[in-house]
Amino acid sequence: MTAALTLCKCQSFRVEPGTLCAWCQLDKNGRRFGWERIDRDTCPRVLVGKSCLNYESPDSFGSCWCGSRLNDHGNHWRDSDGVEFIVWEPYGIDGDRLNVVLAAAAAEGLDVWIDHYSLWHHRTTGIRFTARTQ
Ligand SMILES: [Zn+2]
Ligand SMILES: [Zn+2]
């Protein structure tokens, strides 16, 4: 017998009593850093005022570098200073794929910071993108 599930505080998912759904837990983890999740889009291009290349034309779907396998559990956040950023949280980071992402981010004017944020899971590593400010 498993315990009866109850409705999460967000009213969207049923969870084990006393726990949160994955999204509410993610938001709680972000608040540890003073971060607020503002969107689910995961393309870092939005941080520099561009749209994802996947949606630029009917033929471009799949062409954007945000389609990297490193883009796992991505979310769009804002910190307590009002700075918006995107964090991808893969379980592991392949060097060749990382090189592709770093080159693309640099070309878009994005800074990259890799840290052990563990927003999604205690084993994920965060790749944080912010617009370069000089
Ligand atoms: Zn919830
Ligand atoms: Zn994109």
Side-chain angles (χ1 to χ4, degrees), residues 5-31 37 119-120:
L5 297 180
T6 61
L7 206 54
C8 182
K9 65 177 184 175
C10 63
Q11 309 288 310
S12 299
F13 300 98
R14 293 196 173 278
V15 296
E16 300 279 339
T19 67
L20 297 170
C21 75
W23 293 106
C24 288
Q25 185 64 49
L26 179 69
D27 288 338
K28 183 178 179 184
N29 293 343
R31 284 194 294 273
R37 189 163 55 89
L119 296 163
W120 185 262

Side-chain angles (χ1 to χ4, degrees), residues 43 52-53 64 66:
C43 184
C52 178
L53 288 170
C64 192
C66 72

